[in-house]
């Protein structure tokens, strides 16, 4: 067999959402910061995104975590999804740490002190809980997160008038109470929720004058928190409760006076698997706006240790993603 490329990867899922941690095969990248290295990957090697994440080696929901050197933190990490480059990704950070733990690659002292990670969105801090030396959960302290706009009203195609808040948690989200959409809030209706989410995103992002959003988070109240369904893109939704979306929710609830620092917030995915979250600290955003440091705790499980191969004569070397 003649191969033209080989990548070693560890696949995990965080409450159902996949992370492909790439441990070898990515060419050296130019740039000082993690953001610059991520931008170099995008400019020079974007073809690898299809190879690593699209069919036949991946699928629409796949997200890669790519470790790179950092000058600012103990490690650097950037995130590639099948459809876009994410500045920050909570579920993939949790998947990355679980992958390091599964291969004995957590840095020395992690169990006591955790570590800092530079991401394109900024520096985060991760630590873990352990039982008899085994990682049992990953605790992520995210970048400063804030409410960007409250009580925004838009007309969304097929839905009519929708009210939402817009908040940043490493990615910017429209936060929408799911009761405004006449659909059962369950996984069997995921593609219809995707349609609804995309209609809201489109209405916000095409000349509404409101902050642009990357994704739409629908929330449905439960005891001690909410069930989340995050619509990422056409036919793509987060299977996890979404780390950056949960961070945006914490910022929203804190700004509205509905969640005190330290109070627990249970963020469940659409299948009922939770993240445990809280406002860890009150802080300031990059532009001095009132913000919070969110803390999100969850766990990932390993699903494969693989070597991805591109055979030299593969006619579909770029991969493909059915829409
Ligand atoms: O967990 O932050 C997250 C995330 C973003 C996109 C998919 N998952």
């Amino acid at each position: 067999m003649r191969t033209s490329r080989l990548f070693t990867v560890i696949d995990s899922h965080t409450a159902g959402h996949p992370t492909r941690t790439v441990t070898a095969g990515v060419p050296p990248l130019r740039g000082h910061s993690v953001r610059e290295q991520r931008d170099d990957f995008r400019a020079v090697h974007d073809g690898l995104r299809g190879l690593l994440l699209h069919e036949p080696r991946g699928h629409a929901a796949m997200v890669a975590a790519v470790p790179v050197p950092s000058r600012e933190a103990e490690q650097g990490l950037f995130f590639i999804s099948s459809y876009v480059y994410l500045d920050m990704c909570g579920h993939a950070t949790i998947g990355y740490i679980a992958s390091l733990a599964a291969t004995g690659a957590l840095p020395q002292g992690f169990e006591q002190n955790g570590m800092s990670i530079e991401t394109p969105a900024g520096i985060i801090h991760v630590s873990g809980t352990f039982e008899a030396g085994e990682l049992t959960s990953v605790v992520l302290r995210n970048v400063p997160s804030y409410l960007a706009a409250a009580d925004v009203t838009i007309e969304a195609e097929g839905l009519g008038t929708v009210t939402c808040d817009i908040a940043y948690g490493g990615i910017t989200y429209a936060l929408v109470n799911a009761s405004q959409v006449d659909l059962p809030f369950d996984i069997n209706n995921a593609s219809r929720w995707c349609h609804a989410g995309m209609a809201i995103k489109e209405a916000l992002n095409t000349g509404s004058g409101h902050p642009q959003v990357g994704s739409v988070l629908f929330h449905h109240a439960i005891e001690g928190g909410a069930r989340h369904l995050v619509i990422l893109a056409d036919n793509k939704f987060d299977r996890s409760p979404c780390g950056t979306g949960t961070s945006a929710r914490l910022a929203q609830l804190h700004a509205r006076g509905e969640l005190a620092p330290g109070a627990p917030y249970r963020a469940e995915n659409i299948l009922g698997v939770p993240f445990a979250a809280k406002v860890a600290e009150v802080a300031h955003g990059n532009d001095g706006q009132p913000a919070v440091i969110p803390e999100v705790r969850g766990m990932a499980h390993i699903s494969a240790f693989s070597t991805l191969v591109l055979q030299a004569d593969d006619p579909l070397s770029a991969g493909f993603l059915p829409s």
Side-chain angles (χ1 to χ4, degrees):
M1 179 174 78
R2 278 193 311 121
T3 57
S4 66
R5 296 208 87 120
L6 292 175
F7 299 88
T8 57
V9 300
I10 305 172
D11 284 346
S12 61
H13 74 89
T14 307
H17 207 65
T19 303
R20 177 159 280 173
T21 296
V22 186
T23 51
V26 171
L29 299 171
R30 281 173 302 194
H32 296 306
S33 66
V34 168
R35 177 176 278 273
E36 286 167 355
Q37 294 174 75
R38 187 275 310 270
D39 290 349
D40 187 55
F41 182 100
R42 175 163 45 195
V44 183
H45 305 291
D46 188 52
L48 297 183
R49 186 165 56 87
L51 178 59
L52 286 166
L53 300 178
H54 292 179
E55 294 187 32
R57 293 168 195 79
H59 53 81
M62 191 64 96
V63 176
V66 183
V68 287
S70 169
R71 298 174 174 202
E72 304 288 327
E74 287 161 84
Q75 296 198 0
L77 193 65
F78 70 83
F79 311 98
I80 317 170
S81 77
S82 68
Y83 57 96
V84 81
Y85 290 82
L86 300 163
D87 281 355
M88 173 54 202
C89 185
H91 94 269
T93 302
I94 294 170
Y96 171 65
I97 297 298
S99 299
L100 293 185
T103 48
L106 282 174
Q108 235 181 2
F110 182 88
E111 192 167 338
Q112 293 73 38
N113 304 318
M115 69 170 160
S116 57
I117 299 183
E118 181 188 349
T119 72
I123 295 179
I124 60 170
H125 188 269
V126 286
S127 56
T129 59
F130 290 81
E131 271 170 36
E134 290 285 311
L135 181 75
T136 51
S137 74
V138 178
V139 182
L140 155 67
R141 279 201 181 199
N142 201 358
V143 293
S145 300
Y146 54 86
L147 180 65
D151 299 319
V152 169
T153 297
I154 42 137
E155 293 301 315
E157 198 178 319
L159 301 175
T161 307
V162 174
T163 303
C164 63
D165 285 352
I166 298 178
Y168 175 81
I171 296 175
T172 303
Y173 289 86
L175 303 171
V176 183
N177 192 320
S179 65
Q180 296 179 83
V181 181
D182 187 18
L183 279 175
F185 202 55
D186 60 32
I187 189 120
N188 297 327
N189 286 284
S191 60
R192 292 205 271 168
W193 282 102
C194 284
H195 265 97
M198 291 310 287
I200 294 168
K201 181 168 163 176
E202 172 115 354
L204 281 166
N205 288 355
T206 45
S208 74
H210 297 295
Q212 300 266 300
V213 302
S215 298
V216 175
L217 183 154
F218 291 107
H219 52 88
H220 173 82
I222 55 166
E223 185 67 33
R227 203 162 257 214
H228 294 174
L229 179 57
V230 170
I231 307 309
L232 302 163
D234 268 328
N235 285 320
K236 297 174 189 72
F237 68 95
D238 195 338
R239 279 71 171 154
S240 86
C242 191
T244 49
T246 299
S247 300
R249 268 290 274 167
L250 293 173
Q252 172 204 32
L253 293 170
H254 179 263
R256 284 186 167 279
E258 294 172 24
L259 191 72
Y265 176 77
R266 181 182 169 93
E268 277 188 10
N269 73 356
I270 197 72
L271 301 164
V273 183
F275 284 167
K278 66 180 183 194
V279 169
E281 278 172 45
V282 175
H284 290 287
N286 287 343
D287 300 326
Q289 67 275 59
V292 300
I293 302 297
E295 184 177 293
V296 178
R297 184 157 61 83
M299 189 49 183
H301 295 86
I302 305 301
S303 51
F305 296 100
S306 310
T307 303
L308 303 182
V309 174
L310 177 65
Q311 257 194 282
D313 59 350
D314 186 336
L316 295 173
S317 58
F320 59 93
L321 201 59
S323 56

